[in-house]
Amino acid sequence: SQQGEEDPQALSIQEGENATMNCSYKTSINNLQWYRQNSGRGLVHLILIRSNEREKHSGRLRVTLDTSKKSSSLLITASRAADTASYFCATDDSSYKLIFGSGTRLLVRP
Amino acid sequence: EPEVTQTPSHQVTQMGQEVILRCVPISNHLYFYWYRQILGQKVEFLVSFYNNEISEKSEIFDDQFSVERPDGSNFTLKIRSTKLEDSAMYFCAQRGRDTSNYGYTFGSGTRLTVV
């Protein structure tokens, strides 16, 4: 089964810096989504990019998708301490379910 | 913003006991899901439910698990005889009709602790 695998597993940056997280997957997808999870809490949908799109922006978020390499990246610009969370990519394919990556734990130091 | 509500937020149960986790979904959404997340690990797909039937289930979803919509609104996950390794966060999720543009909506989760 396909999986999203992310790197780095953990990322520590200073407030104001940009954070980049990468995700790789194995099979064909309809779209790829990024979610955020604060410690012990639920998953919050951040952004969705369709398989025919290459880049998408939402506020301080920028997502890219390279279907030839089966990879995606999430960039958070001008990070804030409140961005501290785990970030997961998830692929949505024709089987109508999400498959999640292992996640990146982001720590933004004030 | 529509929400998916899960109850209870935290449940502690003895090994071997039955538990029922509940989810109040958003109306007019078609697909329902249960996911689980063992502490510190990835979010794992358990089961998808469409048109009042299971459409797909993972290897994790064995005979100890069942799902239903008993009253046409609430969506439940039952674990018949809990094991220590069932301790995890369990998330209910939904997907609407427009899957090209919108992500899934997740509930805040139920933390299940089996002792």
Side-chain angles (χ1 to χ4, degrees):
Chain A
S1 62
Q2 66 185 46
Q3 285 184 320
E5 297 300 330
E6 291 163 77
D7 76 271
Q9 291 186 332
L11 180 61
S12 179
I13 59 173
Q14 203 71 36
E15 201 164 30
E17 294 179 341
N18 295 340
T20 300
M21 290 160 265
N22 303 296
C23 168
S24 62
Y25 57 93
K26 295 181 180 177
T27 62
S28 298
I29 61 172
N30 290 330
N31 62 67
L32 186 143
Q33 303 175 29
W34 286 87
Y35 287 80
R36 168 193 166 123
Q37 183 182 37
N38 285 19
S39 180
R41 306 289 293 276
L43 294 149
V44 176
H45 173 74
L46 294 175
I47 194 166
L48 178 154
I49 187 165
R50 295 192 296 267
S51 61
N52 61 353
E53 297 177 311
R54 293 296 167 258
E55 186 172 313
K56 199 162 184 179
H57 296 254
S58 176
R60 292 184 297 113
L61 304 180
R62 172 177 169 254
V63 172
T64 62
L65 180 65
D66 186 337
T67 52
S68 66
K69 295 181 180 178
K70 292 185 167 57
S71 67
S72 173
S73 67
L74 172 69
L75 169 67
I76 304 173
T77 61
S79 63
R80 306 166 182 167
D83 293 329
T84 294
S86 291
Y87 292 82
F88 295 89
C89 70
T91 51
D92 192 4
D93 67 6
S94 56
S95 64
Y96 300 110
K97 67 180 184 291
L98 284 180
I99 299 296
F100 282 84
S102 49
T104 294
R105 295 188 309 279
L106 175 65
L107 171 64
V108 181
R109 304 186 305 274
Chain B
E1 186 84 31
E3 287 187 352
V4 175
T5 304
Q6 288 187 244
T7 58
S9 57
H10 190 188
Q11 179 152 0
V12 181
T13 189
Q14 294 274 345
M15 190 170 57
Q17 294 295 305
E18 175 183 284
V19 295
I20 298 177
L21 311 182
R22 292 183 169 81
C23 173
V24 179
I26 302 166
S27 60
N28 78 20
H29 276 47
L30 300 179
Y31 290 87
F32 303 87
Y33 302 83
W34 284 100
Y35 285 82
R36 82 171 185 189
Q37 184 182 32
I38 295 172
L39 184 64
Q41 298 187 24
K42 67 165 61 177
V43 179
E44 300 174 293
F45 167 76
L46 290 179
V47 64
S48 57
F49 194 81
Y50 171 72
N51 203 24
N52 291 324
E53 290 184 347
I54 290 175
S55 55
E56 188 173 349
K57 57 185 180 181
S58 72
E59 293 176 353
I60 303 168
F61 195 90
D62 61 21
D63 292 344
Q64 295 298 314
F65 291 88
S66 62
V67 291
E68 57 180 19
R69 292 190 75 190
D71 54 8
S73 60
N74 291 337
F75 181 47
T76 63
L77 173 70
K78 182 192 291 186
I79 308 174
R80 289 191 185 81
S81 178
T82 50
K83 303 184 286 286
L84 294 176
E85 54 264 38
D86 293 327
S87 295
M89 283 287 287
Y90 288 82
F91 295 104
C92 169
Q94 280 187 266
R95 180 174 99 136
R97 295 176 187 274
D98 184 355
T99 58
S100 300
N101 293 300
Y102 298 101
Y104 292 46
T105 302
F106 281 78
S108 54
T110 293
R111 180 177 299 281
L112 176 65
T113 303
V114 182
V115 297

